[in-house]
Amino acid sequence: MKQVKGLLRATDLIARDTIQYQIELSPALLTEIKPGQFVHVRIDQTAAHMLRRPISICDIDFEKNLLTLIFKVVGKGTAKLKEKQIETMIDLLIPCGNGYPLDELDAEHVLLIGGGIGVPPLYYLAKKLTEQGIKVTAVLGFQSKADVFYEDAFKALGDCFITTNDGSYGDTGFVTDVIEQRQLTGDYYFSCGPTLMLKAVKTKMQAVPGYISLEERMGCGIGACYACVIDKADDSGNVKICHDGPVFRANEVIL
Amino acid sequence: MSRLSVRLPGLDLKNPIIPASGCFGFGKEYDQFYPIEKLGAIMIKAATEKKRLGNKTPRVAETYSGMLNAIGLQNPGVDTIIKNELPFLKDKQLPVIANVAGSTIEEYEAVAKALNGSGIQAIELNISCPNVKEGGVQFGTDPDVAYAVTKRVKAAADVPVYVKLSPNVTDITVIAQAVERAGADGITMINTLTGMQIDLNSRRPLLANGVGGLSGPAIKPVAIRMVYQVYQAVKIPIIGMGGITTIEDVIEFLLAGASAVAVGTANFQNPMICSELIDQLPFALEKYGFTSAEEVIGKGHLNE
């Protein structure tokens, strides 16, 4: 892991309160990154915000050397990130955590299940899986039509079903409703989203091996402070989401 | 003696910059960013007798110019720390100050005894953790209890004992004098101030523990005031901490009477901060008219 500064090449509002950053970084650094890893972003150079914000890696463009991050404005820190202008430097710890275990994956078809701001890490994963010749089907849930993003991007890689809680776009209901109604399955599933969604997904997909990616308020982001832990399923204690995760086998942790 | 070096009981420090306990793990993670043998010393994460799993999450919340934490002393237990963590620091030849915590006086004593012969340079007796139900801060808010636990640990330990004081008291000098009488070799101060943040959407305290410890630049003036008062009240040396983010903050703590400083929360914002402060210190000494770090200690007092 390194602390680097990257030039913000683009910042766009791609859905309600949802910002996409494109940050220029060195090719050597970008090739190290695995799908499912995250960056820990410093808000600014003042002492107003002492904690960085963990943001998952959404995509990498190796032709332009750009890292894509997507985040939702939920508080004062992310509101400041939203205000950043292009051509400013963004201070990152990168790459953080462990990614999805792509090398050991024996699969022909996987199901990607994302909710809200849990969708972005599944995109780079979908790209890497399809590069390996694995078929992907995505089920993406959002609150409402205004929150939907990356539908076309996922559709370019495989089947993609969008659902909204209020029914204003795509199917109506939760991602688990779509899986049920459309009888979707795969050799593996990968899921990222709110804890309640992950719980429902885990229950629904019991018969299928899966990996989930977790979110928690973090301190250091590198495994030193023990802020972001989750209990292990085998009663042997807890693991650090930032350092041991954020990706875990679905049956490894207690949600 | 180089102009950055400072001498305290058991600690011959090449510079006065130390990462604070709980913010730096056992050093490995930060060694990715710079060689940690550059530090004056390391205050390692608190050790209890047995493994502790800590509190429920969320355990941290950002506040303006600071943060609240309620980790709850999670650690693998003192024996595992000695076996798995100390060898790395020994290889680095980095002086280790081991933070000792407990729920009972007996536990504090047992942890201190377990550390005998482990190669550490000093103990930081943590009688000020605000985030555990039993022990912790209750030992640091009553001068008689603080005296008793310091005396027991001092008798059990084979290295100098620094007592970490809580700011959550009416008069910190009373506690400082009590631990000095009990034989403490030094004082580290301040631990976090208790605080709370309430989430407007859930209408509940944001931290799972409810209360947490406030740290970061927000508490620095409180820490400076307390170091200044304790410097006048005791003769044993002080390692000062509380919201340090800049080299000016370091000079200010030394002026208040600290012989060395610890940097905590700032490591989260900038993992390079301790290394940067060490690099900046010679220039700051020159800028403010000093020839050595030791010369600055206590110079903020009227009679100095």
Side-chain angles (χ1 to χ4, degrees), chain B residues 49-179:
Chain B
E49 191 177 10
K50 305 272 182 247
K51 170 178 172 175
R52 271 189 76 111
L53 293 179
N55 294 325
K56 297 219 172 303
T57 57
R59 292 176 169 187
V60 292
E62 190 181 74
T63 62
Y64 196 83
S65 263
M67 64 176 283
L68 290 163
N69 90 81
I71 306 293
L73 294 180
Q74 176 168 355
N75 79 94
V78 65
D79 293 335
T80 305
I81 290 171
I82 292 168
K83 186 165 156 270
N84 294 348
E85 308 292 349
L86 293 187
F88 172 76
L89 298 171
K90 196 168 191 173
D91 285 349
K92 293 262 172 191
Q93 296 186 314
L94 178 60
V96 175
I97 304 168
N99 189 292
V100 167
S103 312
T104 61
I105 289 188
E106 289 70 30
E107 185 180 3
Y108 280 107
E109 188 179 32
V111 177
K113 272 189 181 157
L115 285 162
N116 284 343
S118 66
I120 60 165
Q121 277 61 45
I123 278 174
E124 179 178 51
L125 180 58
N126 184 357
I127 57 168
S128 46
C129 176
N131 297 324
V132 288
K133 283 199 179 64
E134 297 159 347
V137 74
Q138 78 193 47
F139 289 97
T141 49
D142 179 323
D144 295 335
V145 181
Y147 176 92
V149 67
T150 302
K151 189 137 187 135
R152 284 278 282 276
V153 168
K154 183 64 192 156
D158 68 357
V159 291
V161 174
Y162 291 73
V163 182
K164 188 166 188 176
L165 299 189
S166 171
N168 303 299
V169 293
T170 310
D171 184 353
I172 197 164
T173 63
V174 175
I175 312 287
Q177 287 168 336
V179 303

Side-chain angles (χ1 to χ4, degrees), chain A residues 40-109:
Chain A
H40 215 26
V41 185
R42 183 165 173 173
I43 303 293
D44 60 26
Q45 295 302 306
T46 76
H49 296 276
M50 294 307 293
L51 296 182
R52 290 169 178 258
R53 299 296 188 275
I55 300 176
S56 45
I57 288 161
C58 174
D59 194 15
I60 295 169
D61 179 338
F62 286 102
E63 281 175 19
K64 296 178 183 160
N65 297 323
L66 293 176
L67 175 84
T68 301
L69 305 175
I70 293 175
F71 61 92
K72 192 144 190 166
V73 178
V74 291
K76 293 189 184 81
T78 42
K80 277 208 180 149
L81 291 180
K82 180 190 171 189
E83 297 307 318
K84 286 210 188 283
Q85 303 294 314
I86 55 167
E87 308 302 315
T88 54
M89 299 301 271
I90 308 293
D91 181 332
L92 308 169
L93 304 185
I94 179 170
C96 297
N98 297 306
Y100 298 103
L102 291 185
D103 297 338
E104 54 207 72
L105 206 65
D106 179 22
E108 289 176 7
H109 177 209

Side-chain angles (χ1 to χ4, degrees), chain A residues 1 3 42 46-53 93 216-218 220 222-227 229 236-238, chain B residues 25 29-30 32-33 45 51 53 57 59-60 62 64-67 71 74 206 217 245 266 268-272:
Chain A
M1 188 190 319
Q3 181 185 18
R42 183 165 173 173
T46 76
H49 296 276
M50 294 307 293
L51 296 182
R52 290 169 178 258
R53 299 296 188 275
L93 304 185
E216 182 56 80
R217 285 173 182 266
M218 289 183 184
C220 66
I222 61 173
C225 79
Y226 295 81
V229 297
S236 65
N238 54 32
Chain B
E29 292 81 7
Y30 286 91
Q32 301 173 85
F33 296 102
K45 174 125 185 85
K51 170 178 172 175
L53 293 179
T57 57
R59 292 176 169 187
V60 292
E62 190 181 74
Y64 196 83
S65 263
M67 64 176 283
I71 306 293
Q74 176 168 355
L206 201 155
T245 60
F268 300 162
Q269 192 194 46
N270 174 13
M272 292 291 295

Side-chain angles (χ1 to χ4, degrees), chain B residues 206-255:
Chain B
L206 201 155
L207 296 180
N209 191 53
V211 172
L214 180 65
S215 62
I219 72 165
K220 200 197 80 185
V222 179
I224 293 287
R225 183 264 293 178
M226 289 185 163
V227 169
Y228 191 92
Q229 289 177 325
V230 168
Y231 180 77
Q232 295 188 334
V234 300
K235 294 202 164 50
I236 50 178
I238 300 164
I239 299 175
M241 66 194 77
I244 292 173
T245 60
T246 68
I247 198 64
E248 285 75 20
D249 297 337
V250 173
I251 301 286
E252 193 178 350
F253 269 93
L254 297 180
L255 288 171

Side-chain angles (χ1 to χ4, degrees), chain A:
Chain A
M1 188 190 319
K2 293 183 179 67
Q3 181 185 18
V4 298
K5 285 186 177 152
L7 199 58
L8 184 61
R9 287 294 189 191
T11 169
D12 297 291
L13 185 74
I14 59 165
R16 177 165 55 192
D17 297 330
T18 310
I19 309 294
Q20 173 173 285
Y21 268 7
Q22 288 184 298
I23 302 170
E24 190 173 330
L25 292 168
S26 79
L29 184 58
L30 291 173
T31 48
E32 274 179 45
I33 294 168
K34 299 187 189 80
Q37 291 186 303
F38 68 96
V39 296
H40 215 26
V41 185
R42 183 165 173 173
I43 303 293
D44 60 26
Q45 295 302 306
T46 76
H49 296 276
M50 294 307 293
L51 296 182
R52 290 169 178 258
R53 299 296 188 275
I55 300 176
S56 45
I57 288 161
C58 174
D59 194 15
I60 295 169
D61 179 338
F62 286 102
E63 281 175 19
K64 296 178 183 160
N65 297 323
L66 293 176
L67 175 84
T68 301
L69 305 175
I70 293 175
F71 61 92
K72 192 144 190 166
V73 178
V74 291
K76 293 189 184 81
T78 42
K80 277 208 180 149
L81 291 180
K82 180 190 171 189
E83 297 307 318
K84 286 210 188 283
Q85 303 294 314
I86 55 167
E87 308 302 315
T88 54
M89 299 301 271
I90 308 293
D91 181 332
L92 308 169
L93 304 185
I94 179 170
C96 297
N98 297 306
Y100 298 103
L102 291 185
D103 297 338
E104 54 207 72
L105 206 65
D106 179 22
E108 289 176 7
H109 177 209
V110 308
L111 195 55
L112 307 176
I113 309 160
I117 207 62
V119 168
L122 299 179
Y123 180 67
Y124 191 45
L125 173 66
K127 262 174 88 168
K128 286 287 172 190
L129 288 169
T130 50
E131 273 173 25
Q132 289 184 21
I134 298 171
K135 185 175 172 240
V136 298
T137 297
V139 182
L140 311 178
F142 298 91
Q143 285 286 341
S144 191
K145 185 181 178 183
D147 303 300
V148 177
F149 61 88
Y150 267 49
E151 181 184 10
D152 292 342
F154 276 93
K155 282 203 164 135
L157 300 172
D159 288 339
C160 172
F161 304 100
I162 306 284
T163 181
T164 51
N165 291 359
D166 64 3
S168 55
Y169 190 81
D171 291 350
T172 302
F174 298 118
V175 288
T176 40
D177 299 327
V178 178
I179 293 165
E180 171 74 36
Q181 282 154 17
R182 296 182 180 271
Q183 294 290 302
L184 301 175
T185 189
D187 302 319
Y188 280 89
Y189 74 89
F190 294 89
S191 189
C192 183
T195 305
L196 279 176
M197 185 201 91
L198 293 177
K199 271 188 182 174
V201 166
K202 201 172 150 178
T203 309
K204 176 81 201 140
M205 302 295 292
Q206 262 170 8
V208 179
Y211 289 88
I212 54 177
S213 181
L214 303 180
E215 189 176 49
E216 182 56 80
R217 285 173 182 266
M218 289 183 184
C220 66
I222 61 173
C225 79
Y226 295 81
C228 60
V229 297
I230 187 156
D231 287 339
K232 283 159 77 174
D234 63 4
D235 278 343
S236 65
N238 54 32
V239 281
K240 300 168 191 167
I241 291 173
C242 69
H243 182 263
D244 304 317
V247 176
F248 295 97
R249 277 180 286 111
N251 57 6
E252 189 179 351
V253 291
I254 299 174
L255 292 173

